[in-house]
Amino acid sequence: MSQSFWLAALGEPGPARPALPGDRSVDVAIVGAGYTGLWTAYYLARADPSLRIAVIEARYAGFGASGRNGGWCSGLFPVPVAALARRHGREQAVAMHRALAATVDEVGRAAAAEGIDCSFAKGGTVALARSAAQLRRAEAEAAEAREYGLDVSLLDAAAAREKCGATGVVGGTFSPDCASLQPAALVRGLATAVERRGVAIHEGTRALRLSRGSVVTDHGTVRAEVVIRALEGYTAALAGHRRALAPVYSLMIATEPLPPEAWERIGLARRETFTDHRHLIVYGQRTADDRLAFGGRGAPYHFGSRVRPAYDREPAVFAALRRALTDLFGIDPPIAHRWGGPLGIPRDWMPSVGLADGLGWAGGYVGDGVAAANLAGRTLADLITGTESELTRLPWAGHRSRNWEPEPLRWLGINAALRGTALRDAWEVARR
């Protein structure tokens, strides 16, 4: 397994938290000690300190996407607002997007309140257009946002370059609803914060089966009135959930710290996160110690929804990321770290959160889970405590995506889509 730059920067986490000591009973059992599970525990413990809450984690808190993502705490939602409006109506679609935008500030507020130093910097996000086709997509995105009253502005070439000095920029879009942060520092601090509130975290304890009223693990059975599944990209490994979410890999690289003269040209003075309007997603940020951390999709989906440590390292994808970074900024900086891992994608790309008959779930964030997991945690806390709120009425609450197709259709379909997306981008680059 490749350790992320973020985790490596923090050093060793200290002694492992003890595994589940055997059978026990609690009020709420949460499976997964990433952002979703920990935020759920955090807001539950705040709402009702008398609750007995246990978090079950196969490895250690922050092992998954929470400790290795791109550090974008963003208001992005995988389903565009117009598409969401067609399914749920204009008012609900706008409410969903605005709730996520507001969540960016809530993450910063909660981190500050708990003394979590995660290098939170709300500089917004700039999406560059570097071809005529990308500019058309930028214009369409800004027009859609304007129609629905969302805060996304169209940038001309000069304004886009002022924020992010990339090569070949012809325009772009900007949203203020994004903060860059150190994701592993956030999840590690959050784990400590929930423990201070009396929540038990059992590391090194693998959940084998979930059912109403119990979690069967390799160290005993946890009985609980409410059981929450918060496994994101690792959901498919759980018995009975192989087709619920597809684990698709996203890989990252991080440079050595760059000198001041490089940053004078690159910009990102407010630590704006950055991407461009290509089809195959790329994402990056300027870290607090002046590195470029840059990632993207393109790694293959593995047959049977398999997740293996070896899949974290795809030399061809790392090489492609380096070429993309060089193309963006006209530099070839030394690469200090390479890592990756799976994220969870639902069949309809619609994240969801819900509670039914004592079984709750949240996830399917399609790679934009840093803020969404906080919103999901607050929503689950309201659902569990029976609190009627605006959050429990959002369109993702209670949504259930249909299962992915059985193999080999799943493998063929996902990889064909990934390949097709890459080919479309290559064709546009050739025409640039």
Side-chain angles (χ1 to χ4, degrees):
M1 186 201 76
S2 56
Q3 188 181 48
S4 73
F5 158 68
W6 314 112
L7 286 167
L10 296 180
E12 292 299 321
R17 296 176 173 90
L20 183 72
D23 295 351
R24 66 170 299 192
S25 295
V26 296
D27 298 308
V28 180
I30 300 169
V31 180
Y35 292 143
T36 301
L38 293 174
W39 280 125
T40 302
Y42 177 77
Y43 290 106
L44 267 178
R46 279 183 46 182
D48 186 351
S50 70
L51 285 175
R52 298 168 301 157
I53 305 167
V55 180
I56 307 301
E57 168 57 45
R59 298 295 294 270
Y60 55 82
F63 169 80
S66 300
R68 56 168 158 73
N69 61 78
W72 284 41
C73 182
S74 79
L76 292 172
F77 194 68
V79 182
V81 63
L84 201 59
R86 287 192 292 272
R87 300 179 195 175
H88 299 278
R90 180 189 179 95
E91 184 177 341
Q92 282 286 84
V94 171
M96 184 75 244
H97 280 258
R98 287 183 175 167
L100 265 176
T103 298
V104 178
D105 293 323
E106 171 61 15
V107 171
R109 184 208 65 76
E114 296 298 334
I116 301 171
D117 180 7
C118 60
S119 304
F120 185 94
K122 192 182 178 187
T125 190
V126 57
L128 304 167
R130 301 173 64 239
S131 70
Q134 288 188 17
L135 183 58
R136 288 193 293 272
R137 288 195 285 274
E139 291 168 344
E141 179 183 301
E144 183 177 285
R146 187 166 56 250
E147 179 184 349
Y148 286 89
L150 303 179
D151 198 356
V152 177
S153 55
L154 184 67
L155 304 177
D156 62 21
R161 283 195 299 267
E162 185 178 353
K163 291 184 181 296
C164 183
T167 62
V169 173
V170 295
T173 54
F174 178 76
S175 168
D177 301 321
C178 189
S180 57
L181 51 74
Q182 213 284 30
L186 176 60
V187 71
R188 188 172 292 182
L190 184 55
T192 301
V194 301
E195 287 181 312
R196 283 198 300 265
R197 294 178 179 272
V199 174
I201 301 175
H202 298 292
E203 295 181 334
T205 303
R206 185 174 299 279
L208 304 175
R209 293 187 303 280
L210 307 186
S211 60
R212 183 177 181 181
S214 72
V215 180
V216 178
T217 82
D218 57 357
H219 282 72
T221 298
V222 181
R223 304 204 176 278
E225 293 182 17
V226 175
V227 173
I228 302 296
R229 170 173 57 81
L231 291 171
E232 191 56 0
Y234 296 91
T235 300
L238 194 65
H241 292 78
R242 185 171 294 278
R243 292 166 55 195
L245 294 175
V248 173
Y249 276 71
S250 193
L251 274 56
M252 291 197 71
I253 58 177
T255 69
E256 297 283 3
L258 302 183
E261 55 268 26
W263 288 112
E264 287 177 12
R265 186 163 56 84
I266 295 170
L268 305 175
R270 299 179 60 235
R271 291 187 55 216
E272 295 93 337
T273 58
F274 66 91
T275 183
D276 66 18
H277 281 277
R278 74 185 72 192
H279 297 287
L280 194 65
I281 293 172
V282 296
Y283 50 91
Q285 68 148 288
R286 177 180 181 173
T287 67
D289 64 346
D290 285 338
R291 302 169 190 262
L292 279 168
F294 185 70
R297 312 285 166 80
Y301 162 80
H302 298 280
F303 192 90
S305 293
R306 289 194 301 266
V307 172
R308 302 283 188 274
Y311 301 159
D312 295 354
R313 303 187 69 84
E314 288 280 351
V317 177
F318 289 137
L321 288 173
R322 182 169 191 157
R323 288 195 300 272
L325 192 61
T326 296
D327 177 60
L328 270 169
F329 296 111
I331 59 175
D332 190 16
I335 304 301
H337 297 269
R338 299 169 178 84
W339 72 97
L343 53 91
I345 298 185
R347 182 63 180 81
D348 58 1
W349 283 55
M350 176 75 173
S352 63
V353 54
L355 177 68
D357 298 323
L359 285 169
W361 73 91
Y365 305 124
V366 196
D368 276 306
V370 180
N374 175 281
L375 181 59
R378 285 184 284 141
T379 304
L380 279 171
D382 284 351
L383 290 170
I384 292 166
T385 58
T387 304
E388 180 70 19
S389 71
E390 293 181 358
L391 302 186
T392 62
R393 294 189 292 271
L394 290 172
W396 72 342
H399 175 78
R400 291 184 184 270
S401 303
R402 69 182 178 90
N403 281 342
W404 282 92
E405 289 79 4
E407 299 290 21
L409 295 177
R410 185 161 75 250
W411 181 85
L412 290 167
I414 294 174
N415 284 321
L418 288 169
R419 181 62 176 161
T421 301
L423 288 173
R424 282 173 26 182
D425 283 330
W427 183 78
E428 288 185 1
V429 168
R431 290 171 53 90
R432 202 160 66 192

